[in-house]
């Protein structure tokens, strides 16, 4: 998840490199058995940018065409990707995507005012909880039930 932990080790042939995590290089002894010299591990980032053979440096014309994206836009796009993996930056301008809830107040005019502010917040929390629970599912899982020596049920 952290790109700063990634690096590479040149393999036996010159045209092949192996991407490895720094933690894996230090902790997994099976990598040493593969014939790679792990002392040659180098990070993928140098001088605050990816190595040029990994990510091509954009030309000056491409840099002029690039658009500025704020951190808030990036966060909203990442949230949108959870629902639609094909979403693009232009999809943030679509109606209904940027429906931020109203801030909670200390005092409300009446019950309807309170309901109009709190109901969207409750719905947003319920939708978030539902997405989190659905994201925790696992496929191809089998559970075996048995009785232990103490006559209690065991699942494994």
């Amino acid at each position: 998840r952290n790109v700063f932990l990634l690096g590479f080790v040149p393999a036996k042939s010159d045209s092949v490199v192996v991407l490895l995590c720094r933690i894996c290089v230090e902790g997994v002894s099976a990598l040493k058995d593969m014939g790679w010299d792990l002392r040659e591990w180098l990070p993928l980032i140098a001088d605050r940018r990816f190595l040029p053979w990994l990510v091509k440096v954009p030309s000056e014309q491409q840099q002029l065409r690039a658009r500025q994206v704020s951190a808030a836009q990036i966060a909203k796009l990442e949230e949108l990707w959870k629902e639609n993996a094909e979403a693009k930056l232009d999809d943030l301008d679509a109606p209904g995507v940027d429906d931020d809830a109203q801030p909670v107040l200390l005092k409300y005019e009446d019950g309807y005012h309170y309901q109009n502010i709190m109901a969207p917040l409750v719905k947003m929390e319920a939708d978030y909880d539902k997405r989190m629970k659905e994201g925790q599912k696992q496929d191809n899982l089998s559970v075996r039930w048995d009785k232990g020596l103490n006559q209690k049920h065991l699942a494994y």
Side-chain angles (χ1 to χ4, degrees):
R1 302 199 94 182
N2 186 350
V3 73
F4 295 101
L5 294 176
L6 292 178
F8 70 97
V9 175
K12 292 179 181 176
S13 64
D14 292 334
S15 63
V16 176
V17 295
V18 179
L19 299 180
L20 293 171
C21 174
R22 179 184 305 160
I23 297 169
C24 295
V25 169
E26 296 169 353
V28 179
S29 61
L31 294 174
K32 296 175 185 171
D33 300 336
M34 295 184 173
W36 300 323
D37 188 4
L38 298 180
R39 292 173 293 173
E40 294 183 22
W41 183 91
L42 295 170
L44 290 179
I45 296 178
D47 296 326
R48 299 185 328 179
R49 62 178 90 172
F50 283 106
L51 295 174
W53 58 264
L54 183 65
V55 177
K56 188 176 90 172
V57 177
S59 66
E60 197 168 312
Q61 181 182 9
Q62 289 173 327
Q63 289 182 10
L64 291 174
R65 280 189 16 210
R67 67 172 104 166
Q68 294 292 324
V69 181
S70 68
Q73 288 175 314
I74 292 171
K76 287 181 182 177
L77 185 58
E78 287 176 347
E79 285 295 318
L80 193 57
W81 281 340
K82 291 177 183 177
E83 298 170 11
N84 178 9
E86 302 297 320
K88 305 234 181 299
L89 194 59
D90 297 331
D91 295 337
L92 293 178
D93 298 330
V97 172
D98 195 21
D99 292 340
D100 287 335
Q102 296 179 4
V104 177
L105 304 174
L106 292 175
K107 291 185 179 182
Y108 298 93
E109 296 170 9
D110 55 15
Y112 293 113
H113 187 222
Y114 176 82
Q115 181 182 5
N116 289 338
I117 290 178
M118 295 306 269
L121 291 173
V122 171
K123 182 178 181 340
M124 287 171 59
E125 184 177 10
D127 292 343
Y128 175 78
D129 288 343
K130 181 179 179 184
R131 281 195 311 269
M132 293 305 294
K133 286 179 183 175
E134 288 173 351
Q136 293 176 350
K137 71 176 183 177
Q138 290 187 357
D139 295 331
N140 301 327
L141 185 71
S142 63
V143 178
R144 288 183 47 188
W145 292 93
D146 202 356
K147 272 196 172 182
L149 294 175
N150 59 359
Q151 300 301 316
K152 291 187 178 181
H153 293 284
L154 299 174
Y156 57 98

